[in-house]
Amino acid sequence: AEFHARGYEEVISPNMYSQQLWETSGHWANYKENMFNFECDNTTFSLKPMNCPGHCLMFAHRARSYRELPLRLADFGVLHRNELAGALTGLTRVRRFQQDDAHIFCTPDMIEQEIKGCLDFVTHVYSIFGFTFRLELSTRPEKHLGDSMLWDKAEGALRTVLDAAGMPWKVNEGDGAFYGPKIDIHLTDALGRSHQCATIQLDFQLPIRFNLTYQTDQHAHGETSTTQALDTLQRPVMVHRAIFGSVERMLAILAEHTAGRWPLWLSPRQVMVVSISEHFNDYAEQIRKTIHDQGFFCDVNITGDKLGRKVRDAQVQQYNFIVVVGKQEQADATINVRTREGVMMGSQTLTEFLDKLHTLTKEFK
């Protein structure tokens, strides 16, 4: 819903591309050792380590007008990177992962507003999780594409946006991507540790390498000769943007940030229904089904264990709420609710409880 509200179109791109595409994008010369390459039909293919070349092809598959810009393409496709074995650590660095990846094609005049929009998106998302963050401008690396003038222009645009953002930032010399400078966002978790997850990268190079163009508004004003038509073709600018970065890494960070006590809206174990005895198992199952049908993760414990053991097991497994049902609850068509922290919420109707769950979910709690 947030992507839709912010004007993104979700797309799906192939998992592998031929060597020819990676040569066009510059990845073959600058990133080949980090890619999984293999032969197929006498042609070298690679599993994609990133989505940007595929999105360039999507932009280029037909003529584009300035009226279509900014074009924001979001892609959650699977990526593969040939990381060194010694660098692999749990979920924080893996060889197969997914990103909340997006690329924005815009006019040069739109650069500042689009990057500002990306920073606003990052702020919105990270505030929901309770993260604070700091900003870094990563500049031209030694191994890069393009001439110095374009790099200076790109870095200058990012500096302008960072200055206008009103947040402190610093320069990280030489740590930009090979195709452009970037703003790296380092979040701080509950333990005070820093993690680089989100990134916003400005790219003048790939639009040149893929010969991406769009018709300016001059073409719409009646200039129709061949020379005039060529003059109205302009090069878009490309913004690479990820907020979570690797979804797997973000899950690992969130698991430690919450100490496994996931908020209800994210929790894989939201409600556990337990029956006092086997005489109330049918009622417990009925409650479970109703909660489940409302879109919540809900399990039921109708084993022969004692009530205290059932409740304790649910608390250890970090269920957000434990719903107890017995003779009184069945007779009154109610439930008895407590939290995993042991807070007794007492007897209430199922409707009241469901309203509470929906409210917490809507408020990202």
Side-chain angles (χ1 to χ4, degrees), residues 4-53:
H4 179 76
R6 293 176 183 266
Y8 287 87
E9 301 176 36
E10 187 171 350
V11 299
I12 300 174
S13 53
N15 285 329
M16 65 182 192
Y17 294 106
S18 69
Q19 177 181 334
Q20 181 181 1
L21 179 76
W22 301 116
E23 289 174 346
T24 300
S25 68
H27 288 82
W28 196 255
N30 294 276
Y31 205 76
K32 176 183 176 182
E33 65 275 9
N34 299 110
M35 297 160 62
F36 288 101
N37 311 307
F38 56 94
E39 296 295 319
C40 181
D41 295 332
N42 299 318
T43 302
T44 301
F45 282 82
S46 303
L47 294 175
K48 64 178 180 181
M50 49 197 70
N51 293 304
C52 37

Side-chain angles (χ1 to χ4, degrees), residues 165-183:
M167 292 181 281
W169 60 277
K170 67 177 184 178
V171 176
N172 185 11
E173 294 287 353
D175 201 41
F178 68 84
Y179 46 76
K182 58 181 179 173
I183 298 173

Side-chain angles (χ1 to χ4, degrees), residues 279-325:
H279 301 294
F280 312 106
N281 286 352
D282 290 342
Y283 184 58
E285 179 56 39
Q286 176 187 332
I287 296 297
R288 184 211 66 81
K289 185 179 185 305
T290 303
I291 296 173
H292 175 270
D293 289 347
Q294 286 288 310
F296 297 101
F297 293 105
C298 185
D299 295 316
V300 62
N301 186 341
I302 53 176
T303 64
D305 292 334
K306 292 183 178 180
L307 177 61
R309 173 67 181 273
K310 291 180 181 181
V311 170
R312 177 59 182 159
D313 286 348
Q315 290 175 322
V316 169
Q317 294 170 37
Q318 297 297 339
Y319 282 89
N320 298 75
F321 295 99
I322 299 104
V323 172
V324 178
V325 294

Side-chain angles (χ1 to χ4, degrees), residues 32-84:
K32 176 183 176 182
E33 65 275 9
N34 299 110
M35 297 160 62
F36 288 101
N37 311 307
F38 56 94
E39 296 295 319
C40 181
D41 295 332
N42 299 318
T43 302
T44 301
F45 282 82
S46 303
L47 294 175
K48 64 178 180 181
M50 49 197 70
N51 293 304
C52 37
H55 291 182
C56 286
L57 293 182
M58 291 181 181
F59 184 94
H61 89 279
R62 64 172 175 83
R64 298 286 182 175
S65 165
Y66 72 97
R67 293 187 181 90
E68 299 177 70
L69 305 183
L71 179 64
R72 306 181 184 101
L73 303 180
D75 193 331
F76 288 81
V78 175
L79 305 177
H80 293 83
R81 295 181 185 175
N82 191 10
E83 303 281 1
L84 295 174

Side-chain angles (χ1 to χ4, degrees), residues 53-343:
H55 291 182
C56 286
L57 293 182
M58 291 181 181
F59 184 94
H61 89 279
R62 64 172 175 83
R64 298 286 182 175
S65 165
Y66 72 97
R67 293 187 181 90
E68 299 177 70
L69 305 183
L71 179 64
R72 306 181 184 101
L73 303 180
D75 193 331
F76 288 81
V78 175
L79 305 177
H80 293 83
R81 295 181 185 175
N82 191 10
E83 303 281 1
L84 295 174
L88 302 177
T89 52
L91 285 176
T92 57
R93 186 169 294 274
V94 293
R95 288 176 171 147
R96 185 268 190 202
F97 61 98
Q98 290 175 262
Q99 285 186 331
D100 60 329
D101 200 11
H103 295 94
I104 302 169
F105 299 90
C106 64
T107 69
D109 292 341
M110 296 174 179
I111 289 174
E112 291 186 22
Q113 73 181 43
E114 289 304 310
I115 295 178
K116 182 177 181 296
C118 292
L119 283 173
D120 180 71
F121 203 169
V122 170
T123 302
H124 171 74
V125 171
Y126 283 11
S127 66
I128 290 173
F129 296 111
F131 291 135
T132 57
F133 62 90
R134 56 185 175 83
L135 305 173
E136 283 186 354
L137 172 60
S138 296
T139 59
R140 176 174 37 207
E142 183 177 341
K143 192 176 183 180
H144 64 273
L145 297 176
D147 60 54
S148 299
M149 285 186 59
L150 284 178
W151 274 88
D152 291 342
K153 183 178 180 181
E155 290 175 7
L158 293 183
R159 289 176 187 272
T160 299
V161 174
L162 286 170
D163 286 338
M167 292 181 281
W169 60 277
K170 67 177 184 178
V171 176
N172 185 11
E173 294 287 353
D175 201 41
F178 68 84
Y179 46 76
K182 58 181 179 173
I183 298 173
D184 285 327
I185 294 94
H186 297 261
L187 64 84
T188 303
D189 65 16
L191 300 178
R193 296 174 303 185
S194 179
H195 306 272
Q196 194 272 304
C197 295
T199 185
I200 304 168
Q201 304 172 0
L202 186 55
D203 184 358
F204 288 89
Q205 308 300 330
L206 288 187
I208 295 173
R209 297 181 74 91
F210 281 91
N211 194 29
L212 304 183
T213 59
Y214 64 91
Q215 290 283 357
T216 67
D217 58 349
Q218 294 178 8
H219 181 71
H221 295 158
E223 299 184 20
T224 56
S225 71
T226 302
T227 302
Q228 290 172 324
L230 289 174
D231 288 342
T232 63
L233 289 176
Q234 295 294 324
R235 190 82 66 197
V237 179
M238 192 173 179
V239 178
H240 306 246
R241 188 242 68 192
I243 295 176
F244 289 153
S246 162
V247 175
E248 288 80 356
R249 179 187 299 167
M250 179 57 73
L251 281 173
I253 293 169
L254 282 171
E256 295 193 353
H257 183 68
T258 62
R261 304 169 77 86
W262 297 90
L264 179 76
W265 74 280
L266 275 180
S267 180
R269 294 174 173 172
Q270 295 175 316
V271 181
M272 171 63 83
V273 181
V274 300
S275 60
I276 291 179
S277 74
E278 62 182 11
H279 301 294
F280 312 106
N281 286 352
D282 290 342
Y283 184 58
E285 179 56 39
Q286 176 187 332
I287 296 297
R288 184 211 66 81
K289 185 179 185 305
T290 303
I291 296 173
H292 175 270
D293 289 347
Q294 286 288 310
F296 297 101
F297 293 105
C298 185
D299 295 316
V300 62
N301 186 341
I302 53 176
T303 64
D305 292 334
K306 292 183 178 180
L307 177 61
R309 173 67 181 273
K310 291 180 181 181
V311 170
R312 177 59 182 159
D313 286 348
Q315 290 175 322
V316 169
Q317 294 170 37
Q318 297 297 339
Y319 282 89
N320 298 75
F321 295 99
I322 299 104
V323 172
V324 178
V325 294
K327 181 178 180 180
Q328 190 66 50
E329 288 75 26
Q330 181 171 276
D332 297 341
T334 59
I335 56 177
N336 194 288
V337 183
R338 67 189 72 189
T339 69
R340 63 187 167 198
E341 293 81 16
V343 176

